[in-house]
Short mmCIF file of all heavy atoms in Angstrom, two decimals:
data_model
loop_
_atom_site.label_atom_id
_atom_site.label_comp_id
_atom_site.label_asym_id
_atom_site.label_seq_id
_atom_site.Cartn_x
_atom_site.Cartn_y
_atom_site.Cartn_z
N LYS A 206 87.44 88.77 95.38
CA LYS A 206 88.09 87.43 95.39
C LYS A 206 89.50 87.57 94.77
O LYS A 206 90.50 87.09 95.31
CB LYS A 206 87.26 86.48 94.56
CG LYS A 206 87.78 85.07 94.51
CD LYS A 206 86.90 84.20 93.64
CE LYS A 206 87.52 82.85 93.39
NZ LYS A 206 86.83 82.16 92.30
N ALA A 207 89.57 88.27 93.61
CA ALA A 207 90.88 88.40 92.94
C ALA A 207 91.86 89.19 93.78
O ALA A 207 93.06 88.83 93.87
CB ALA A 207 90.67 89.09 91.57
N MET A 208 91.35 90.18 94.49
CA MET A 208 92.21 91.04 95.32
C MET A 208 92.80 90.24 96.48
O MET A 208 93.99 90.42 96.83
CB MET A 208 91.38 92.21 95.84
CG MET A 208 92.14 93.08 96.77
SD MET A 208 91.19 94.50 97.29
CE MET A 208 89.99 93.71 98.33
N ILE A 209 91.99 89.37 97.07
CA ILE A 209 92.46 88.68 98.29
C ILE A 209 93.13 87.34 97.99
O ILE A 209 94.16 87.00 98.56
CB ILE A 209 91.25 88.46 99.22
CG1 ILE A 209 90.62 89.79 99.63
CG2 ILE A 209 91.73 87.71 100.49
CD1 ILE A 209 89.33 89.63 100.39
N LEU A 210 92.50 86.60 97.06
CA LEU A 210 92.98 85.23 96.88
C LEU A 210 93.84 85.08 95.57
O LEU A 210 94.52 84.08 95.43
CB LEU A 210 91.76 84.25 96.76
CG LEU A 210 90.81 84.24 97.97
CD1 LEU A 210 89.66 83.27 97.69
CD2 LEU A 210 91.60 83.76 99.20
N GLY A 211 93.77 86.06 94.71
CA GLY A 211 94.50 85.93 93.46
C GLY A 211 95.97 86.33 93.66
O GLY A 211 96.39 86.71 94.73
N PRO A 212 96.74 86.18 92.57
CA PRO A 212 98.15 86.58 92.65
C PRO A 212 98.24 88.11 92.71
O PRO A 212 97.31 88.80 92.33
CB PRO A 212 98.72 86.08 91.31
CG PRO A 212 97.55 85.97 90.41
CD PRO A 212 96.34 85.70 91.24
N ILE A 213 99.39 88.59 93.21
CA ILE A 213 99.63 90.03 93.24
C ILE A 213 100.05 90.41 91.80
O ILE A 213 101.14 90.08 91.39
CB ILE A 213 100.69 90.41 94.26
CG1 ILE A 213 100.25 89.98 95.64
CG2 ILE A 213 100.99 91.91 94.20
CD1 ILE A 213 101.35 90.07 96.69
N ASP A 214 99.12 90.99 91.08
CA ASP A 214 99.35 91.17 89.65
C ASP A 214 98.67 92.42 89.17
O ASP A 214 97.57 92.78 89.66
CB ASP A 214 98.77 89.94 88.93
CG ASP A 214 99.19 89.95 87.47
OD1 ASP A 214 100.29 89.39 87.18
OD2 ASP A 214 98.45 90.48 86.63
N GLU A 215 99.33 93.11 88.24
CA GLU A 215 98.78 94.40 87.76
C GLU A 215 97.44 94.25 87.04
O GLU A 215 96.71 95.22 86.84
CB GLU A 215 99.81 95.11 86.88
CG GLU A 215 100.97 95.64 87.73
CD GLU A 215 102.16 96.16 86.96
OE1 GLU A 215 102.14 96.06 85.71
OE2 GLU A 215 103.12 96.63 87.61
N SER A 216 97.03 93.00 86.72
CA SER A 216 95.72 92.82 86.10
C SER A 216 94.60 93.06 87.12
O SER A 216 93.49 93.34 86.77
CB SER A 216 95.59 91.39 85.54
OG SER A 216 95.77 90.46 86.57
N CYS A 217 94.94 92.99 88.41
CA CYS A 217 94.01 93.36 89.49
C CYS A 217 94.71 94.33 90.42
O CYS A 217 95.41 93.95 91.37
CB CYS A 217 93.54 92.14 90.27
SG CYS A 217 92.45 92.58 91.65
N PRO A 218 94.58 95.66 90.15
CA PRO A 218 95.31 96.63 90.98
C PRO A 218 95.11 96.47 92.47
O PRO A 218 96.07 96.63 93.24
CB PRO A 218 94.72 97.96 90.45
CG PRO A 218 94.35 97.67 89.04
CD PRO A 218 93.81 96.26 89.06
N GLY A 219 93.89 96.06 92.89
CA GLY A 219 93.66 95.90 94.33
C GLY A 219 94.49 94.83 94.96
O GLY A 219 94.73 94.83 96.18
N SER A 220 95.04 93.89 94.16
CA SER A 220 95.83 92.82 94.72
C SER A 220 97.11 93.29 95.39
O SER A 220 97.65 92.64 96.25
CB SER A 220 96.17 91.78 93.65
OG SER A 220 97.00 92.32 92.67
#
Side-chain angles (χ1 to χ4, degrees):
K206 182 181 170 194
M208 174 176 73
I209 300 172
L210 301 177
I213 300 170
D214 190 87
E215 287 170 358
S216 60
C217 177
S220 65

